C-alpha cells in the first residue's frame, strides 16, 4: 500500500455550498475524500483539491466506511439512498441535510433494512465556518455508529449527540431555528414601533442587547415550572400582565404597527385567567399550547 492509502477515508455526497465546504475541510485535514454529485461538473471542481470523484453514488458510498449526505432536501436523500441500495451494507451513513424528525426516522429504518447504520445530523452555521468552533452540529441515531464517526464529525465543528432516536437532531435544529425566527420577527415589529415614535433604532438595539442577558435565567425557570407543572408568578401574575398587554396593544395600534402577535398573547392570557389561574405567571400558558 502507498502512504496515501493509509489516510482515513470519507465520502461526501452533494457538492452544494455546504457539501463542498465539508469535502474541502476533510481534504485540508488529510482525509482520503471521495465525492459525488448528481451534476458531475460540481464534483469535478473538488478533484483539483485532491478529491476522488466517483462515477455513481453507489461507488462513492463503497469507497469509504462513512458517507456524509449534504443535499438540498430529504427528497434528494431518498433518491440517493434508492440508487445506492445494497451498496450501503456495512457502511455508516450520516445525513447533514435539512428535514423533519419523521424523515430522519424513515431514513434510519431504510438504513437498518439495508444493513447500514444511520446518523442524522443538522448543521447550525454557514459554509465558510465549517471546520471552526463557529459551526455547531446536532446528531442523533445509531449510538455505536455515532461514536465511531465522532472523530471525523468533530473535524467539522462542535458536536452534540441527542440520543438514539434518529429524529431528535431534527427536533433540536427545527426548534432552535424556529425560536430564532420567532424572536427576529418580534424584533422587526418592535423596531417598527420605535421608528414610528421617532427614536434611534441603533441606540435602542444596543440597550435591548444588554437586556437580553437577563432572559437566560428566566427561560430555565420557565422550563422547570413546565416540567414540574408548578407555575409561580414569573413576570408577575397573569391578571397584572393582561392589563399591561392592553397598553402594549393600544400603543401599537396608535402608531399603525401590526399588533397581531400581541393580541394572540392577550387572548391566551384571558383564557388562562378565565380558567381561574390569574395568579400564575406567563409560563402557565403552556398548558393551553400542549398538543
Amino acid at each position: 500500500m502507498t502512504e496515501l492509502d493509509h489516510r482515513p477515508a470519507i465520502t461526501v455526497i452533494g457538492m452544494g455550498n455546504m457539501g463542498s465546504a465539508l469535502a474541502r475541510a476533510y481534504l485540508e485535514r488529510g482525509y482520503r475524500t471521495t465525492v459525488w454529485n448528481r451534476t458531475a461538473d460540481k464534483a469535478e471542481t473538488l478533484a483539483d483539491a485532491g478529491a476522488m470523484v466517483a462515477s455513481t453514488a453507489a461507488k462513492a458510498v463503497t469507497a469509504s466506511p462513512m458517507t456524509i449526505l449534504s443535499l438540498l432536501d430529504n427528497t434528494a436523500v431518498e433518491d440517493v439512498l434508492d440508487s445506492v441500495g445494497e451498496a450501503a451494507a456495512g457502511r455508516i451513513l450520516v445525513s447533514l441535510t435539512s428535514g423533519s424528525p419523521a424523515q430522519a426516522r424513515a431514513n434510519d429504518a431504510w438504513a437498518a433494512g439495508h444493513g447500514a447504520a444511520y446518523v442524522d445530523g443538522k448543521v447550525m452555521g454557514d459554509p465558510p465556518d465549517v471546520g471552526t468552533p463557529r459551526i455547531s452540529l446536532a446528531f442523533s441515531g445509531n449510538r455505536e455508529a455515532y461514536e465511531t464517526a465522532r472523530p471525523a464529525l468533530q473535524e467539522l465543528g462542535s458536536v452534540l449527540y441527542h440520543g438514539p432516536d434518529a429524529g431528535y437532531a431534527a427536533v433540536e435544529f427545527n426548534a432552535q431555528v424556529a425560536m430564532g425566527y420567532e424572536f427576529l420577527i418580534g424584533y422587526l415589529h418592535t423596531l417598527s414601533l420605535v421608528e414610528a415614535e421617532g427614536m434611534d433604532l441603533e441606540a435602542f438595539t444596543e440597550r435591548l442587547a444588554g437586556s437580553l442577558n437577563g432572559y437566560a435565567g428566566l427561560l430555565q425557570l420557565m422550563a422547570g415550572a413546565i416540567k414540574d407543572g408548578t407555575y409561580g408568578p414569573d413576570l408577575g401574575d397573569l391578571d397584572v400582565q393582561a392589563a399591561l398587554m392592553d397598553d402594549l396593544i393600544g400603543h401599537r395600534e396608535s402608531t399603525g404597527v401590526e399588533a397581531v402577535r400581541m393580541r394572540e398573547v392577550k387572548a391566551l392570557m384571558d383564557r388562562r385567567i378565565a380558567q381561574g389561574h390569574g395568579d400564575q405567571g406567563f409560563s402557565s400558558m403552556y398548558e393551553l399550547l400542549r398538543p
Side-chain angles (χ1 to χ4, degrees), residues 168-257:
Y168 277 6
V171 173
E172 175 74 13
F173 177 82
N174 289 349
Q176 291 270 5
V177 173
M179 184 64 209
Y181 280 123
E182 292 273 11
F183 167 75
L184 291 174
I185 192 61
Y187 170 64
L188 294 182
H189 278 303
T190 301
L191 285 188
S192 296
L193 180 67
V194 172
E195 184 179 49
E197 291 286 13
M199 293 182 66
D200 183 86
L201 299 184
E202 292 180 337
F204 168 77
T205 296
E206 184 176 353
R207 295 189 296 273
L208 176 64
S211 301
L212 292 178
N213 294 330
Y215 281 88
L218 176 63
L219 296 179
Q220 293 288 351
L221 177 67
M222 292 175 67
I226 291 168
K227 182 178 180 180
D228 296 338
T230 304
Y231 299 107
D234 54 67
L235 295 181
D237 294 351
L238 284 179
D239 287 327
V240 176
Q241 293 186 58
L244 172 62
M245 290 301 300
D246 286 333
D247 293 336
L248 297 178
I249 292 169
H251 185 200
R252 291 200 173 197
E253 291 179 339
S254 72
T255 58
V257 174

